[in-house]
Amino acid sequence: MSHFPWLTAIIFLPLAGAAALFFVKAQQARWLALGVTLADFALSLPLWFGFDATTSQMQFTERASWITSPAINYALGLDGISLPMILLTTFLTPFCVGISWRAIESRVQLFMASLLVMETAMLGVFAALDFVLFYVFWEAMLIPMYLLIGVWGGPNRVYAAVKFFLYTLVGSVLLLVAIIVLFFKGGHTFDILQLSKGDYAPVLQSWIFWAFFAAFAVKVPMFPFHTWLPDAHVEAPTAGSVILASVLLKMGAYGFLRFTLPMLPDATIAYTPIIIALSVIAILYGAYMALAQADLKKLIAYSSVSHMGFVTLGIFALNTQGIEGAILQMVNHGITTGALFLCVGIIYERTHSRLISDNTGLTGPMPRYATFLVIFSLSSLGLPGTNSFVGEFLVLAGTFFRSKPVAALASLGIILAAAYMLWMVQRVAFGTRSEQSAHRPVHLSDLNLREMALLAPLLVLVFWIGLVPNQVLTPMHASVANLLDQMDQEETALAQIIGTGQAARGDRQEPLPAPLPLAARHRPDKSIP
């Protein structure tokens, strides 16, 4: 099995399927896209069963020379950080095809081809081990996402698509500059693993850190770079919203984990207080804005800003609990928020409205739909026993070990999440249908077999991860430990400098030390502007 190019096959099967779509008719294109995405998911399952969780080494690696001078390689591999992201991508793409079955009636071949090209680019980002290859896949995501929003979106789709494109493009340009600088300073190589072992001057780390930050913070999106997200979600078709929330937003967090932390430990430690502050603001601001929304899609979009704040908070807690919680929360957010967007798309097909006031009291005419909506909403707010509870608990635990006040502030986000989610559920599922909506000429039929098939697997995952989270956490352990080991020397030196006499990292299986003030994490012997 090790000799078979699994990652190449998984990455490029959707691209081959996209090319084939232009030779079939619209209805055949739907079935072909569904078949390709299901086959790609099946092809990715051996990665899960064949993954060795005891090692942090890259697995399923492939390497071939692409460009001789400068040396650029076609290099692929995965570890415990990229494995869940790849499986999440292959798992969710068939749902995007399924929810678009009736919703997309024009240019079906081009729509399905955009979805498949998008899948290839996303998988390539998570598997690339060469910086140039990573950047090619990173940029390749822009065009199909732009088309999904700009061609099949709502009335303001062009504005939303251009805004998304410009925000991402600016960040990408700075990312390219950082990659080139790393090439010259890191030994004339684009090898990501080799660059991760480099020792860069603190001032250089500082500049590269902010270049990376510009690219990754826009993608997360972190406050205040989030303004493109509500517009993109509202205008995108349901499949675009699912891809955007479930996978695309994870690219930024993945970039922080794959590049920022291991390559720039000094700058990461120095600027952690800033990132922590922005994360907490995102948690509270996103939740507060979600409370004020009358549009279901906007409510979920702002909740994504809040949830992704937990992800960046966990990453920059810089301990095992925080980082593993952040990765798990990335998976959980993909499942739960993707399911909620599917629910919005299903009701929109019936009422042609996303306004909460037009979709109230659905328990009566649509009991099965209301049941799914309630469960996914409870998962989103972190009810114990569901997937989101485990991720948010680990993130808060990791943050608590670093700073109790920060953890306390972040906890307010969970209270606000309960408020906006339960208020939404109260109105949509159990509210009284308004006179205006009751007289609208719509037929509120309950979920059909296709829609049940779309939501049921996500429901299973909600409880599977919530009840047996170690099944997902175990493959991460070695890779997260290795990531922290790469920063361990820096933090140990820092702890000695500030006189604690022990390592600052409060993880592993040892008793946790007292948390250090975040503001004291600057190294006094290295000047980082």
Side-chain angles (χ1 to χ4, degrees):
M1 187 171 72
S2 60
H3 299 294
F4 184 79
W6 287 103
L7 291 176
T8 294
I10 293 167
I11 291 170
F12 290 103
L13 176 61
L15 188 64
L21 283 172
F22 294 99
F23 300 97
V24 299
K25 296 181 179 178
Q27 186 60 25
Q28 294 170 324
R30 295 185 178 95
W31 284 108
L32 179 58
L34 182 62
V36 169
T37 53
L38 287 174
D40 208 42
F41 174 61
L43 205 58
S44 67
L45 289 179
L47 301 181
W48 173 264
F49 294 108
F51 186 80
D52 183 359
T54 62
T55 177
S56 62
Q57 298 297 313
M58 287 290 172
Q59 302 177 43
F60 300 94
T61 54
E62 299 171 34
R63 186 174 292 272
S65 177
W66 181 17
I67 299 173
T68 306
S69 180
I72 301 174
N73 295 312
Y74 173 77
L76 303 173
L78 61 84
D79 62 1
I81 297 173
S82 51
L83 174 67
M85 297 298 103
I86 287 177
L87 291 173
L88 179 69
T89 305
T90 59
F91 175 75
L92 286 174
T93 309
F95 293 89
C96 297
V97 176
I99 196 63
S100 308
W101 206 265
R102 292 180 180 172
I104 302 301
E105 297 177 342
S106 65
R107 303 173 184 173
V108 177
Q109 294 94 331
L110 180 59
F111 179 87
M112 295 299 174
S114 298
L115 276 182
L116 295 182
V117 173
M118 191 79 192
E119 184 177 16
T120 287
M122 293 186 297
L123 292 170
V125 164
F126 293 131
L129 294 181
D130 184 281
F131 238 141
V132 174
L133 186 64
F134 169 86
Y135 190 77
V136 168
F137 285 125
W138 179 274
E139 288 300 286
M141 290 185 299
L142 276 179
I143 297 173
M145 196 67 224
Y146 176 86
L147 291 176
L148 288 176
I149 300 173
V151 176
W152 295 275
N156 296 317
R157 57 186 179 274
V158 175
Y159 168 78
V162 170
K163 193 173 182 180
F164 160 78
F165 192 89
L166 290 178
Y167 266 69
T168 309
L169 185 63
V170 171
S172 297
V173 170
L174 293 174
L175 176 63
L176 179 60
V177 173
I179 291 172
I180 294 172
V181 172
L182 276 173
F183 171 77
F184 287 105
K185 298 294 183 181
H188 292 78
T189 180
F190 290 111
D191 188 302
I192 290 173
L193 299 181
Q194 192 171 334
L195 289 171
S196 298
K197 298 174 183 175
D199 185 16
Y200 309 103
V203 174
L204 178 65
Q205 286 193 36
S206 177
W207 287 108
I208 296 175
F209 179 92
W210 290 115
F212 280 170
F213 177 81
F216 303 147
V218 167
K219 259 315 195 271
V220 171
M222 293 184 70
F223 178 90
F225 308 100
H226 66 282
T227 59
W228 64 269
L229 185 68
D231 292 320
H233 270 311
V234 168
E235 298 303 327
T238 302
S241 295
V242 173
I243 285 286
L244 196 61
S246 300
V247 184
L248 207 68
L249 301 189
K250 313 303 180 297
M251 301 290 174
Y254 178 78
F256 283 129
L257 288 168
R258 179 64 69 209
F259 307 118
T260 305
L261 267 61
M263 293 181 185
L264 314 169
D266 280 326
T268 297
I269 291 170
Y271 297 122
T272 285
I274 298 175
I275 309 301
I276 292 286
L278 291 177
S279 300
V280 173
I281 292 173
I283 290 170
L284 300 179
Y285 170 81
Y288 175 75
M289 290 299 292
L291 271 172
Q293 300 308 313
D295 185 305
L296 281 167
K297 260 193 168 183
K298 265 195 173 179
L299 187 153
I300 300 170
Y302 277 109
S303 77
S304 292
V305 175
S306 181
H307 288 145
M308 292 308 291
F310 277 104
V311 171
T312 51
L313 182 66
I315 291 172
F316 284 86
L318 302 180
N319 54 38
T320 302
Q321 295 87 352
I323 293 177
E324 290 190 355
I327 299 171
L328 184 61
Q329 189 61 9
M330 289 159 68
V331 176
N332 293 337
H333 180 261
I335 294 168
T336 304
T337 304
L340 286 172
F341 275 120
L342 289 177
C343 288
V344 174
I346 288 170
I347 193 62
Y348 182 77
E349 285 186 14
R350 288 160 172 75
T351 66
H352 303 289
S353 173
R354 294 188 303 266
L355 293 178
I356 294 174
S357 58
D358 290 338
N359 298 289
T360 55
L362 297 182
T363 305
M366 302 176 68
R368 291 195 293 269
Y369 174 85
T371 302
F372 278 106
L373 179 68
V374 170
I375 294 175
F376 290 132
S377 299
L378 293 176
S379 167
S380 180
L381 63 86
L383 185 75
T386 61
N387 54 344
S388 297
F389 169 77
V390 185
E392 290 182 353
F393 175 80
L394 287 174
V395 167
L396 288 176
T399 308
F400 183 84
F401 296 140
R402 287 299 180 199
S403 170
K404 292 183 178 66
V406 171
L409 278 174
S411 301
L412 295 176
I414 296 178
I415 298 172
L416 290 172
Y420 66 71
M421 274 299 171
L422 292 178
W423 194 30
M424 183 272 287
V425 166
Q426 188 274 326
R427 287 176 289 173
V428 174
F430 305 108
T432 304
R433 289 184 61 76
S434 65
E435 185 175 344
Q436 181 184 357
S437 60
H439 288 84
R440 293 185 65 191
V442 294
H443 179 56
L444 291 178
S445 59
D446 208 350
L447 297 178
N448 56 37
L449 188 60
R450 174 179 64 88
E451 293 161 342
M452 291 278 287
L454 286 173
L455 296 178
L458 297 168
L459 189 69
V460 172
L461 279 182
V462 163
F463 290 110
W464 178 62
I465 296 176
L467 296 176
V468 283
N470 274 336
Q471 294 285 322
V472 182
L473 289 170
T474 300
M476 302 177 194
H477 291 331
S479 298
V480 171
N482 180 60
L483 174 64
L484 291 170
D485 283 342
Q486 290 177 294
M487 303 183 67
D488 198 36
Q489 189 174 358
E490 297 292 334
E491 286 211 77
T492 302
L494 173 64
Q496 292 170 347
I497 289 168
I498 64 177
T500 63
Q502 56 182 323
R505 179 167 299 126
D507 51 31
R508 315 290 191 271
Q509 302 303 318
E510 302 171 359
L512 293 158
L516 298 175
L518 291 174
R521 299 179 64 78
H522 293 272
R523 296 191 62 176
D525 60 335
K526 294 184 177 182
S527 59
I528 298 177

